[in-house]
Amino acid sequence: VQLQASGGGLVQAGGSLRLSCAASGRTFSSYNMIWFRQAPGKEREFVAAIHWSGGSTYYADFVKGRFTISRDNAKNTAYLQMNSLKPEDSGIYYCAAGTRWFDWLPVAQDYWGQGTLVTVSS
């Protein structure tokens, strides 16, 4: 599976962005999709995940109520809708594909996209 993340940009605090992760290959629907982010000088951290079936989602506490993860298996695409953005949400956002639900460590994921930069100004 090859992943291509897009949708990042510059937004003011309180604004919204929608990230997309387009996948190639016919096995997209077999993978859980996970979003991570990495701020300068910090480790990559888990943001949100959606089960391969679309039936379950999981969020990091710091995005609950603000971000929504979704997927469209017919389009081989996962999304991350980000609302009420804060300056501390800035960083490079990566999408990843994995097979182990509740295993959110970056090393546990099988495939990675190249990342898309999100900058939230105060």
Side-chain angles (χ1 to χ4, degrees):
V1 177
Q2 291 185 320
L3 304 176
Q4 179 84 26
S6 62
L10 174 65
V11 64
Q12 288 187 330
S16 299
L17 282 174
R18 189 194 195 201
L19 305 184
S20 297
C21 178
S24 63
R26 295 178 290 178
T27 59
F28 172 77
S29 59
S30 300
Y31 288 91
N32 306 317
M33 295 301 297
I34 304 97
W35 286 96
F36 292 85
R37 70 185 186 188
Q38 188 167 18
K42 295 188 176 181
E43 293 188 350
R44 194 168 299 190
E45 62 181 356
F46 168 82
V47 175
I50 186 165
H51 193 262
W52 60 265
S53 67
S56 295
T57 57
Y58 195 83
Y59 296 93
D61 286 344
F62 53 77
V63 302
K64 283 182 180 177
R66 299 190 298 125
F67 291 11
T68 303
I69 190 171
S70 61
R71 67 189 296 160
D72 186 337
N73 285 345
K75 295 183 178 180
N76 280 8
T77 304
Y79 305 96
L80 185 67
Q81 177 67 44
M82 306 187 295
N83 299 328
S84 302
L85 283 162
K86 305 174 182 180
E88 52 264 43
D89 292 320
S90 297
I92 300 175
Y93 282 69
Y94 298 90
C95 59
T99 58
R100 290 180 283 184
W101 191 243
F102 283 124
D103 192 345
W104 309 138
L105 292 175
V107 69
Q109 311 315 317
D110 298 313
Y111 300 99
W112 288 87
Q114 86 291 358
T116 185
L117 178 64
V118 172
T119 304
V120 184
S121 63
S122 58

